[in-house]
Amino acid sequence: MKFAMTKEELERLVDALRRDEDCEEGGDGSFTVDLYEPEPVVSLELYPEKNGYSITAAALMDYSEELDGWYMRDRIRDEEGLRAIDRRLRERFLGA
């Protein structure tokens, strides 16, 4: 799902993602982003595009003591869930 942003907002978002320890930039220009606060924990993949970005995958995450790590619980595919992730991204990385 694509989310519109101004060129300035997109530049600020990409800069913030590159500096954040919970984000990883892929060789294809994508970012894998883990949002731990506020709960629920979400992991997503986004691609910056002209005039915004697209979320191409998103999932709720749970922590396993047994595995000593995070694992994917449920995929997020519904429009409302993806819009909520967009709001969280803007709050965290743009202060919006």
Side-chain angles (χ1 to χ4, degrees):
M1 178 172 198
K2 185 166 182 176
F3 296 92
M5 300 183 113
T6 66
K7 181 179 177 181
E8 177 186 276
E9 287 173 323
L10 184 59
E11 288 172 356
R12 287 178 41 220
L13 176 65
V14 169
D15 287 343
L17 292 173
R18 285 182 174 142
R19 290 190 309 269
D20 192 275
E21 66 182 19
D22 294 324
C23 302
E24 184 177 324
E25 186 171 7
D28 60 356
S30 68
F31 287 88
T32 301
V33 182
D34 296 327
L35 299 173
Y36 294 99
E37 297 290 332
E39 291 190 15
V41 177
V42 176
S43 185
L44 63 123
E45 180 180 69
L46 69 82
Y47 282 85
E49 299 176 357
K50 184 177 181 180
N51 301 320
Y53 71 91
S54 289
I55 295 176
T56 56
L60 293 170
M61 305 294 285
D62 277 333
Y63 187 80
S64 168
E65 295 286 337
E66 186 177 303
L67 298 174
D68 191 30
W70 292 93
Y71 68 93
M72 182 173 37
R73 182 178 77 202
D74 295 309
R75 292 188 70 110
I76 301 169
R77 297 181 180 166
D78 62 291
E79 187 173 323
E80 182 180 320
L82 294 174
R83 289 194 186 285
I85 292 171
D86 174 59
R87 287 189 297 274
R88 285 178 68 179
L89 283 166
R90 289 173 193 261
E91 280 181 23
R92 178 168 175 190
F93 296 107
L94 301 177

